[in-house]
Amino acid sequence: MGLAVHVGGFSEDTSTKVGCYIANHETNRPVSFGYNGLPSGVLDKPSRHERPQKYFYFEHAERNAIYNSDTKLDNMSIFVTHTPCTDCVRAIIQNRISYLYVLHANGFESKWAKERYPLEQLEAIIFMLREAKISIYEINLTGALV
């Protein structure tokens, strides 16, 4: 998970730095990385960092990692520093990623997730992951399951 936190440090977002990497589940070898940020070629202007404007411009770390991959992601693991939104969960499912690891400090029951997502959205996130049979884990920075 430390690698996801490190990758999140590359984000130009001034308020929330989200990092993600996708790894081969068998070998744990990373195959792709992503962080939240502006799409390639889109100018970084201060007004684009303000809420709600930033939600129109910034791409999420999970989708950036998926977009950046040059390999099929079937049965891979995805490591993210924050609970993914419904859009990212759908992307994870559609790309047949099988394992989701979330940093416990920003996990499903965290203050961050509860402030960010309405209860109905959190429920939809969990329902979709379970229905798609994605294994969900919350881990700490040392990689220990919580």
Side-chain angles (χ1 to χ4, degrees):
M1 188 52 72
L3 182 55
V5 171
H6 179 75
V7 170
F10 294 117
S11 172
E12 57 271 307
D13 190 329
T14 56
S15 62
T16 306
K17 299 195 178 290
V18 181
C20 173
Y21 74 96
I22 300 171
N24 179 302
H25 185 70
E26 301 292 320
T27 65
N28 280 334
R29 184 175 187 190
V31 298
S32 187
F33 301 90
Y35 52 87
N36 60 318
L38 295 161
S40 299
V42 174
L43 297 176
D44 188 357
K45 297 180 178 183
S47 64
R48 293 179 178 171
H49 288 263
E50 302 294 324
R51 289 181 177 94
Q53 192 78 2
K54 81 177 210 170
Y55 299 123
F56 303 134
Y57 288 93
F58 276 73
E59 185 56 87
H60 290 191
E62 301 92 327
R63 291 193 305 265
N64 274 331
I66 289 168
Y67 301 150
N68 291 335
S69 177
D70 61 358
T71 186
K72 287 193 173 268
L73 302 175
D74 299 47
N75 204 38
M76 297 278 182
S77 297
I78 189 165
F79 295 79
V80 295
T81 58
H82 293 71
T83 298
C85 70
T86 50
D87 293 334
C88 289
V89 165
R90 289 192 306 269
I92 289 166
I93 292 167
Q94 287 296 94
N95 281 276
R96 294 175 295 284
I97 294 170
S98 297
Y99 306 90
L100 169 64
Y101 294 86
V102 179
L103 182 62
H104 178 67
N106 302 315
F108 297 96
E109 297 292 324
S110 70
K111 179 181 175 191
W112 182 89
K114 289 178 181 178
E115 288 175 354
R116 170 79 184 218
Y117 303 126
L119 179 60
E120 297 83 5
Q121 187 173 0
L122 270 173
E123 288 176 347
I125 289 166
I126 294 167
F127 288 155
M128 284 192 288
L129 290 166
R130 288 184 178 156
E131 289 172 10
K133 297 181 176 42
I134 308 288
S135 297
I136 307 165
Y137 304 97
E138 289 194 14
I139 59 176
N140 61 25
L141 280 174
T142 66
L145 292 174
V146 179

